[in-house]
Structure formats: structure tokens, C-alpha cells
Amino acid sequence: GAGVSQSPSNKVTEKGKDVELRCDPISGHTALYWYRQSLGQGLEFLIYFQGNSAPDKSGLPSDRFSAERTGGSVSTLTIQRTQQEDSAVYLCASSLNGDRGIVQFFGPGTRLTVL
Amino acid sequence: AQRVTQPEKLLSVFKGAPVELKCNYSYSGSPELFWYVQYSRQRLQLLLRHISRESIKGFTADLNKGETSFHLKKPFAQEEDSAMYYCALSVHTSGTYKYIFGTGTRLKVLA
């Protein structure tokens, strides 16, 4: 498919465990974003990768959260020692580049539930 | 500070009534604004952007720099417009542009 894909679609884990969420952006898109979507909080920016530049990590809520983007394509968001407040839908988006006014394309999200 | 504010978490209107979803922004540069929509069980997707000056599904949004607003309007709401709507601002940072989203407004169109 040509769209952004994410896996898994659902993840249930126990408090204290680590989880990895994966995002496959649209081929050729140099910009990749991670967001967290939760009730009452809307869409919360987490991290932004653009080309070979250092990622913008200003949205990561704690040092338990980290993300990598390998080879300028696939990205993995890792949450260590998960807490119940980490339960949310994690969305990935990509765009052609980091130009002004560029459109973002979103994946279907990963629903994370921490018990 | 760069910020997007959507003051209403939930907006309920009757079918056929006009609808306006409010969005205000704070940005010192030249603003580039968008509305994204998420229908039930679908992906978040672009609805419209102000540079295109287009009407999508009957929705329009006008940038008012004096009031720093980009409200989304539709004269006659339809039940299929029920969805979550996010206003977004593209801001310049470290040589590139990134998005700032508002907290979203859930629109419910009642029969």
C-alpha cells in the first residue's frame, strides 16, 4: 500500500514492561512525526524527524520515551517501564519534506493499553 | 509562544444548522494553517488548508490575521460531518517547519 502503516494496531502490556511501536512512512517522505492521542488531551506532539537533521525531541514527556529512525525510513518509538498513563493511541505521520505548508499523512495508529 | 487553541471540546448542532468550529493561533511569523478531520474508525486526514482557499465538503475557513483566527464554517451541517476536527499551524523551527495541533473539537450533528 502507499499509505503510512503502523504496527501493531493494538498492544496490551503490563505496567513496567517496555514496548516498541513501529511506523513505516510513505516511500520518499523525508519528514516523520510521532503524536499521542488521548481523551481530553487531543493530539500531543512527541518527536519529529526531518531528513538527516537531529530530531526534534521537545515533545517527549519523559526520558522513558525514545525514538529512532533508521535509514531515513522506518521509525520505532520505544516506551520503557510503561505506566498506566501511557495508555493512548500513538499516531505516526509523514510528509514529503519539512517545507512550509506541507501536508501530513497519518497512519492508523497503535492503541496502547497499559494494565 | 507558538500555540493553537480550540476552545470547544464538544460542539453539538442539529442537522441543517450552521456550524462554526473555532481556532485561534499565536505565532510571530506568517501563519500557515490547516484543518484535519478524523471520522469514526478512519485515519486523521487533511480537510483543508488556508493557502488553497478551497471549499471541501461544504466547509470553508478564512484566515483572520487581525483576530489570529482560522475558524471552520459550514452553512448547513450534515450527519456525516460528525467527527473530530483539529486545527494545525505550521511553524518554522531550526531550518524546517513542523506542526502544532490544537486539542481538537468533537462535532456531533444531531438528526
Side-chain angles (χ1 to χ4, degrees):
Chain A
V4 178
S5 60
Q6 292 184 246
S7 61
S9 54
N10 279 284
K11 176 72 176 178
V12 180
T13 190
E14 293 180 347
K15 178 181 172 182
K17 296 284 180 69
D18 297 352
V19 295
E20 282 190 353
L21 312 180
R22 178 188 168 105
C23 171
D24 283 89
I26 293 173
S27 178
H29 280 195
T30 64
L32 187 148
Y33 312 76
W34 283 99
Y35 298 93
R36 181 166 67 178
Q37 187 179 37
S38 50
L39 283 175
Q41 299 297 321
L43 204 59
E44 179 187 4
F45 165 76
L46 297 177
I47 189 168
Y48 167 44
F49 296 90
Q50 167 48 32
N52 297 319
S53 302
D56 179 345
K57 304 179 182 180
S58 60
L60 295 178
S62 77
D63 58 8
R64 296 187 295 105
F65 287 72
S66 62
E68 290 185 341
R69 188 176 185 194
T70 54
S73 180
V74 171
S75 177
T76 302
L77 177 69
T78 301
I79 308 174
Q80 296 179 308
R81 305 181 301 280
T82 52
Q83 303 294 313
Q84 288 183 333
E85 60 262 29
D86 299 334
S87 295
V89 176
Y90 289 82
L91 294 177
C92 175
S94 72
S95 61
L96 186 61
N97 51 47
D99 285 355
R100 183 170 183 258
I102 202 79
V103 176
Q104 290 193 7
F105 296 86
F106 283 83
T110 293
R111 181 174 296 278
L112 174 66
T113 303
V114 182
L115 302 176
Chain B
Q2 301 155 348
R3 186 170 54 247
V4 175
T5 303
Q6 294 180 252
E8 303 136 331
K9 285 193 174 182
L10 173 65
L11 184 63
S12 296
V13 300
F14 285 101
K15 177 182 173 182
V19 62
E20 180 179 72
L21 288 85
K22 291 184 168 50
C23 172
N24 288 89
Y25 67 91
S26 173
Y27 181 49
S28 58
S30 182
E32 198 71 60
L33 288 144
F34 307 77
W35 278 97
Y36 280 76
V37 61
Q38 189 170 28
Y39 301 103
S40 179
R41 298 188 182 85
Q42 293 189 28
R43 301 182 184 207
L44 193 59
Q45 60 187 293
L46 177 71
L47 178 63
L48 57 81
R49 47 183 169 167
H50 96 270
I51 56 170
S52 302
R53 300 187 183 280
E54 56 199 345
S55 174
I56 304 293
K57 299 186 179 182
F59 283 98
T60 58
D62 291 319
L63 175 62
N64 185 323
K65 291 186 178 181
E67 295 182 357
T68 59
S69 69
F70 189 58
H71 303 328
L72 184 67
K73 300 177 184 179
K74 186 170 182 176
F76 307 103
Q78 303 299 314
E79 289 181 75
E80 55 265 30
D81 296 328
S82 295
M84 191 73 177
Y85 291 80
Y86 291 95
C87 183
L89 170 69
S90 177
V91 300
H92 185 258
T93 176
S94 302
T96 186
Y97 285 85
K98 75 173 188 183
Y99 273 57
I100 294 177
F101 281 88
T103 50
T105 298
R106 181 166 297 283
L107 174 65
K108 288 189 177 180
V109 181
L110 309 170

